[in-house]
Amino acid sequence: MKSIDLNKPVEIPSWLRIAARPTSIGSGELERQWLEIGEEATEAILKVLPTGKYTLGPYLSAFENEFAKYCDCDYGIGISSGTAALHLALEAMGIGPGDEVITVANTYVATALAITYTGATPVFTDIDPQTYNMRADLVAAKLTPRTRAILPVHLYGQPVDMDPLLELARQHSLGVIEDASHAHGATYKGRKTGSLGDIGCFSLYPSKNMGAYGDGGIITTSNPDIFEKVKMLRYVGQRIKFVHEVIGFQERLDEIQAAALSVKLRYLESWNDRRRKWAALYDELLANTPVVLPYAAPEVRHVYYSYAILVKKEERDDLMNFLADRDVGSFAMYPTPVPLLPCYADLGYKPEDIPLAADYADRVVNLPMFPQLREDEVRTAAQAVIDFYRSK
Ligand SMILES: *Cc1c(COP(=O)(O)O)cnc(C)c1O
């Protein structure tokens, strides 16, 4: 472990100052969700409390089975967070020091951190210019004899073009772990995310398409060997109590969260439908503006964890300020490609190594997107974008 230097100055990026301005359109997502399902969620949680069984009990098993079935997988394993799910998935595949795992530059830092936790090295590829997702030809260019697995991320709810990746993985005997943290319920050629690779990892962080009342995650697989290994790894490396066979972890999902998640799973399809409806409305309203709208491939069911537009780099702050003046919140996700973050400086990446992801990070603007938005709010947000370009 390196020492942490707290005296080193850290700069607040300009977009973040703007994103932090108080606005009402785009906020209040989880409060509105509570108004919709709070009674049912409370009832579910209150059933758990008197049982005295708060970990690895019947509510977790029930949720794991329901979620696995929803994803067309044989097994689900509840984990304490999405980050931990990715970590345990890689550990279960036997990935460790000396190995390389290929992922994309344009993702949340946790995707890469999970690789680093195992002792393996994350190798970052650039992205597809249309979907901003991982692309098989770019992955192929990064293969080395040390490559052990590929970790695609279904960015913003759009599944990666998986068939060419799966073919590449088959040719080179690589594992495929999906980071489906944005894509609960999305499909690729009719197949559910989480069932496309060897292992699917989902974050159940509150603001994801489906989230807990706190931290949570889940792993999906149809491989019984991986299932058994992940179960051991999430609970201190034991199959039989106090017989710790391997160095395991303490990364379980608890009963209270599982009970609430079973309730939320029943709403996921309708919530995703509402996200898709707002995306379609944004698409229609913003069609004649200079912004680049999100592309959805014909073979996918995109579930719009986020609705991201691309603007000129030099106009992003002005647009975000203009939106905030109109009471519309916005942000930039993700503002720095992971390999260019200070924590990965040692890997020596430069923007030229991942030009599309670097350009994207400077240009992305995420507009308000969650199921409980109202139509007038989507219209106000879109109108603010239109007016910004009229005012120029
Ligand atoms: C949220 C997220 C994670 C991490 O999940 P946590 O539950 O916050 O640990 C990993 N990858 C992606 C792409 C995410 O968006």
Side-chain angles (χ1 to χ4, degrees):
M1 256 320 157
K2 278 176 221 161
S3 63
I4 302 171
D5 180 5
L6 294 177
N7 293 318
K8 202 156 88 186
V10 51
E11 212 180 303
I12 301 176
S14 58
W15 76 267
L16 188 55
R17 284 184 200 282
I18 304 165
R21 287 179 57 186
T23 50
S24 50
I25 297 176
S27 65
E29 167 178 3
L30 297 171
E31 295 88 331
R32 291 188 199 179
Q33 187 196 82
W34 177 256
L35 291 177
E36 203 177 313
I37 65 158
E39 220 172 295
E40 259 184 279
T42 304
E43 214 176 285
I45 289 166
L46 289 179
K47 275 194 193 144
V48 179
L49 291 176
T51 67
K53 179 89 182 143
Y54 306 124
T55 60
L56 300 184
Y59 288 91
L60 179 61
S61 299
F63 171 64
E64 288 172 335
N65 290 332
E66 289 157 13
F67 193 78
K69 194 165 164 230
Y70 176 76
C71 295
D72 302 324
C73 287
D74 291 344
Y75 311 104
I77 312 118
I79 307 292
S80 53
S81 73
T83 308
L86 289 161
H87 173 216
L88 296 192
L90 291 156
E91 292 278 352
M93 290 205 130
I95 286 160
D99 296 336
E100 293 176 354
V101 177
I102 301 177
T103 190
V104 269
N106 186 24
T107 182
Y108 184 52
V109 68
T111 315
L113 290 179
I115 299 168
T116 303
Y117 296 158
T118 68
T121 303
V123 173
F124 297 95
T125 72
D126 209 359
I127 50 174
D128 180 83
Q130 228 178 357
T131 63
Y132 322 127
N133 266 333
M134 178 179 269
R135 222 168 73 177
D137 58 336
L138 299 173
V139 172
K142 295 277 182 185
L143 290 175
T144 75
R146 290 170 180 265
T147 309
R148 290 282 317 280
I150 307 175
L151 209 175
V153 181
H154 306 306
L155 192 75
Y156 302 149
Q158 163 141 267
V160 172
D161 185 12
M162 290 298 290
D163 281 346
L165 269 182
L166 293 169
E167 180 53 32
L168 187 74
R170 210 165 16 241
Q171 281 166 8
H172 298 272
S173 306
L174 307 173
V176 178
I177 297 161
E178 295 169 71
D179 185 344
S181 298
H182 295 179
H184 317 60
T187 62
Y188 170 75
K189 300 184 181 175
R191 288 131 67 194
K192 282 266 170 63
T193 57
S195 74
L196 300 165
D198 299 301
I199 313 183
C201 298
F202 294 82
S203 168
L204 299 170
Y205 181 75
S207 68
K208 302 290 164 91
N209 293 48
M210 191 180 84
Y213 291 108
D215 280 309
I218 189 163
I219 286 174
T220 52
T221 186
S222 292
N223 179 323
D225 184 63
I226 288 171
F227 170 63
E228 294 297 336
K229 286 177 177 168
V230 171
K231 268 204 306 186
M232 279 177 85
L233 289 167
R234 80 166 169 187
Y235 188 25
V236 293
Q238 62 186 357
R239 281 184 287 181
I240 303 292
K241 195 163 185 63
F242 296 150
V243 183
H244 305 282
E245 298 171 61
V246 297
I247 300 293
F249 303 87
Q250 182 72 310
E251 296 180 335
R252 302 166 304 199
L253 183 68
D254 68 63
E255 286 285 281
I256 290 175
Q257 298 297 353
L261 284 159
S262 285
V263 171
K264 293 200 189 192
L265 183 56
R266 297 201 286 273
Y267 288 85
L268 178 57
E269 284 288 305
S270 75
W271 286 342
N272 281 342
D273 283 342
R274 276 143 78 181
R275 289 176 184 272
R276 288 166 56 77
K277 179 172 137 191
W278 301 140
L281 184 57
Y282 275 129
D283 283 349
E284 179 194 321
L285 297 172
L286 297 176
N288 297 315
T289 63
V291 307
V292 180
L293 299 179
Y295 166 81
E299 69 272 20
V300 309
R301 178 173 186 261
H302 194 320
V303 294
Y304 294 98
Y305 168 59
S306 188
Y307 187 90
I309 58 174
L310 291 193
V311 302
K312 286 194 185 119
K313 175 182 177 172
E314 58 279 10
E315 72 194 13
R316 181 165 71 180
D317 282 3
D318 292 343
L319 171 63
M320 289 179 68
N321 261 321
F322 191 94
L323 293 174
D325 291 343
R326 296 282 186 94
D327 206 20
V328 175
S330 66
F331 56 107
M333 184 174 79
Y334 297 96
T336 309
V338 176
L340 303 184
L341 287 168
C343 65
Y344 281 119
D346 288 358
L347 296 178
Y349 281 80
K350 292 185 265 336
E352 307 87 86
D353 300 324
I354 40 142
L356 293 175
D359 179 60
Y360 181 91
D362 289 335
R363 297 174 57 200
V364 64
V365 178
N366 304 77
L367 298 177
M369 172 53 82
F370 55 86
Q372 293 79 11
L373 279 172
R374 296 188 313 264
E375 179 168 339
D376 63 288
E377 293 176 312
V378 176
R379 289 187 181 275
T380 302
Q383 192 58 47
V385 175
I386 293 165
D387 291 346
F388 171 75
Y389 287 101
R390 285 206 183 124
S391 74
K392 283 170 70 83

